[in-house]
Amino acid sequence: MGKNILVFSVVVVFLFSITYAVPGIATYYTSYTPSACYGGTQEGVMIAAASDKLWDNGRVCGKMFTVKCTGARNPVPHPCTGKSVTVKIVDHCPGACPSTLDLSREAFAQIANPVAGIINIDYTP
């Protein structure tokens, strides 16, 4: 009986710990300050701006997202590096932003060839 409870508990913990990735689009930018979340304060280089879809009146400020390239959105063949990157949301990519996440150039370069400019991604908050 005790062994069954232990196995059941492990399965429940495992199921609740699974995080599902959300598909999106990433671009990159090179001007890091001032930001909508932190003004002129530097927050490092592994940072991103959130699109209107994620912005939620700034509630996403400071949240960490893990991002992985899943493929090209333009003719650049095989832009993905196979790596993932964790970024902190520090800014808002408003209005006509072409992406879900606008990554810093350094963060983008971790997951894709910057020549691509725009890529498909999976991200997890």
Side-chain angles (χ1 to χ4, degrees):
M1 177 78 159
K3 189 175 182 180
N4 290 342
I5 292 173
L6 176 63
V7 169
F8 178 75
S9 298
V10 169
V11 169
V12 169
V13 168
F14 175 74
L15 289 175
F16 280 108
S17 68
I18 295 174
T19 304
Y20 294 99
V22 179
I25 300 168
T27 52
Y28 71 89
Y29 65 103
T30 58
S31 177
Y32 303 137
T33 55
S35 74
C37 299
Y38 300 101
T41 304
Q42 287 286 344
E43 295 296 318
V45 294
M46 293 306 172
I47 55 176
S51 66
D52 285 342
K53 174 183 175 182
L54 298 173
W55 183 243
D56 194 21
N57 289 326
R59 287 183 190 88
V60 75
C61 285
K63 295 207 186 278
M64 306 296 280
F65 285 77
T66 300
V67 185
K68 184 171 175 108
C69 176
T70 59
R73 289 195 65 83
N74 59 28
V76 175
H78 314 293
C80 302
T81 65
K83 298 178 183 176
S84 63
V85 67
T86 300
V87 294
K88 180 179 183 179
I89 302 298
V90 300
D91 209 351
H92 180 213
C93 184
C97 185
S99 61
T100 311
L101 291 170
D102 195 19
L103 306 173
S104 66
R105 188 178 197 293
E106 291 85 351
F108 191 96
Q110 287 282 322
I111 62 170
N113 181 346
V115 171
I118 186 168
I119 55 172
N120 291 317
I121 58 168
D122 279 343
Y123 66 93
T124 54

